[in-house]
Amino acid sequence: LHSMVLFYAVNLASKDDCSHSERLVWFRQFFEQWGMGEGLMEEDWKQNVYEGKHFPSLAEKAIRCYSEAPDSGSSDVESYKALLEKASSKVSENENILRKLAMLYHKTGRKDDAIRITKDLIKTHTGKFYFWYELAHYVGSEQLDLCIACCAKALLSTKEERYLGNIHIAMGSLLAKKGLYAEVLCEAEKYKAICVENRWTVRAQYNTLRSIVPSGTVRTEDNHGLYKQYESIADEFMYSDIPSRTMVLTESFFQENKHSGKKRLIFVLYDKNNKSIRINPNAFGLDRKTKFGTCFEVKSIVEDNRERALTVRQVEKVDVLSYK
């Protein structure tokens, strides 16, 4: 009966219609009166598996509905925090649960815990640009260079400009503190171009950023070089305890996703011991047309007997392969 009541409440709140927001508000009130998940049973945390794919458990769906409701968690922050902490141990692979917990930790003054969780997410979810952006928020502009570096990593971690508008604005504001006004103007115009291309309203932050720039300033064409300069600061903050090695690009191929059918480009890198690693160049902001023979400094970890790259940075060409 317990699970049936929760299942009914979640499905009622999840219906996507004109009253969706009202349903979420109702669910928030119901969930709080129900004890903020105190009555969740073990079976409520079990994920459904269909054709090898994992689907959210009933508990995860309930937390999602609660978090999406207006003013979610405002009435009982400590109970909500306890629920997310329990969820993070029950479904540790759910990145959204961990992100919510990090945000709540930061909101309640536990900055170090927010940073710790987000650093772990970056290490386990390579190429997710929004984790770097959130890390920049948690670090704060008090550590200006590190904050800029985290935004730089976010901008380098994806080619999808349509998702980067807010990050360009944030980066521009940070660069203004350094007095780099030509670069600030570039970030502002990058943001505006995204809005124009997608027919979105240009928000007030754009005008605010432009107003900071002295008249007569000529914008830089691109800030990619600046991002690369700051990248090492972010990598040192994240991966200082992980050794690196030099590797060379020797081949590439297209890998098809068995579920979606989409193909993605894969680079194959080798080190001096002829050990290889495969990477998605898009996840590291690398040019898809990078030439064979290009060398990279690579930091990686081994998980479940599989090596996974954490950071890949182009370096000057050296003799890497022993069979060359």
Side-chain angles (χ1 to χ4, degrees):
L1 180 61
H2 154 86
S3 294
M4 289 179 62
V5 170
L6 183 59
F7 179 80
Y8 173 77
V10 167
N11 280 276
L12 186 64
S14 299
K15 288 184 177 180
D16 192 8
D17 55 26
C18 59
S19 60
H20 182 54
S21 179
E22 294 178 0
R23 293 176 188 273
L24 287 174
V25 171
W26 167 83
F27 183 83
R28 179 171 71 87
Q29 295 169 345
F30 157 80
F31 200 64
E32 288 175 351
Q33 293 173 5
W34 192 65
M36 289 294 290
E38 287 182 3
L40 287 168
M41 302 178 184
E42 281 302 313
E43 57 263 32
D44 296 328
W45 293 99
K46 291 181 181 178
Q47 294 183 328
N48 298 312
V49 182
Y50 178 71
E51 295 184 350
K53 296 181 69 175
H54 289 257
F55 294 89
S57 64
L58 180 58
E60 290 172 270
K61 291 178 180 178
I63 293 172
R64 186 194 66 229
C65 287
Y66 183 78
S67 66
E68 289 176 354
D71 300 320
S72 176
S74 61
S75 61
D76 194 348
V77 173
E78 289 304 315
S79 294
Y80 184 43
K81 187 192 301 179
L83 174 62
L84 290 178
E85 288 173 337
K86 181 178 181 179
S88 69
S89 65
K90 293 286 188 181
V91 284
S92 58
E93 74 284 356
N94 188 319
E95 66 176 67
N96 289 323
I97 295 281
L98 294 170
R99 287 177 75 192
K100 289 180 175 67
L101 182 57
M103 291 173 189
L104 193 56
Y105 276 153
H106 185 261
K107 180 180 178 181
T108 55
R110 293 174 60 175
K111 174 180 175 179
D112 290 343
D113 286 322
I115 290 174
R116 172 182 54 79
I117 290 174
T118 308
K119 288 176 72 173
D120 288 342
L121 282 168
I122 290 171
K123 288 179 179 178
T124 54
H125 297 76
T126 307
K128 298 291 182 73
F129 69 93
Y130 42 84
F131 291 139
W132 283 107
Y133 184 40
E134 288 163 6
L135 184 59
H137 178 63
Y138 301 148
V139 165
S141 58
E142 298 82 7
Q143 300 182 70
L144 184 56
D145 283 351
L146 179 56
C147 195
I148 291 173
C150 291
C151 282
K153 285 291 289 189
L155 293 165
L156 288 170
S157 295
T158 181
K159 301 287 187 181
E160 298 291 336
E161 276 289 313
R162 69 190 304 267
Y163 300 122
L164 300 179
N166 289 337
I167 307 179
H168 283 301
I169 289 291
M171 177 64 99
S173 299
L174 293 169
L175 294 177
K177 296 178 184 292
K178 303 280 287 188
L180 301 174
Y181 295 114
E183 290 79 3
V184 170
L185 194 55
C186 177
E187 296 297 326
E189 295 309 316
K190 286 274 189 180
Y191 163 74
K192 183 178 180 180
I194 292 170
C195 292
V196 170
E197 182 176 349
N198 292 280
R199 297 181 180 179
W200 297 336
T201 301
V202 177
R203 292 180 297 175
Q205 291 96 319
Y206 168 76
N207 293 324
T208 301
L209 202 54
R210 284 295 306 257
S211 68
I212 298 172
V213 179
S215 60
T217 300
V218 179
R219 60 164 284 189
T220 54
E221 284 300 314
D222 196 286
N223 286 340
H224 186 269
L226 181 71
Y227 305 158
K228 298 299 289 185
Q229 289 176 26
Y230 275 92
E231 183 180 28
S232 60
I233 298 175
D235 286 344
E236 178 66 19
F237 181 65
M238 277 294 307
Y239 311 119
S240 59
D241 58 332
I242 299 175
S244 64
R245 69 189 193 273
T246 304
M247 306 190 78
V248 61
L249 173 62
T250 60
E251 58 183 289
S252 64
F253 63 93
F254 284 94
Q255 184 179 68
E256 184 174 335
N257 185 303
K258 62 181 180 181
H259 296 295
S260 67
K262 293 182 179 180
K263 295 182 178 181
R264 65 175 180 175
L265 180 64
I266 299 295
F267 282 179
V268 183
L269 311 180
Y270 278 85
D271 65 12
K272 65 180 181 181
N273 297 315
N274 298 333
K275 292 184 177 179
S276 66
I277 190 170
R278 297 179 177 185
I279 65 168
N280 175 1
N282 288 341
F284 298 97
L286 303 178
D287 189 339
R288 293 167 62 89
K289 296 181 181 179
T290 300
K291 295 180 180 179
F292 293 159
T294 300
C295 293
F296 299 91
E297 181 186 78
V298 179
K299 290 192 174 189
S300 62
I301 58 175
V302 177
E303 293 178 333
D304 300 325
N305 296 318
R306 179 176 174 270
E307 186 176 20
R308 182 169 59 82
L310 293 174
T311 177
V312 179
R313 187 185 306 117
Q314 186 172 336
V315 294
E316 291 186 9
K317 189 172 183 179
V318 295
D319 291 330
V320 177
L321 300 181
S322 59
Y323 57 77
K324 266 196 165 185

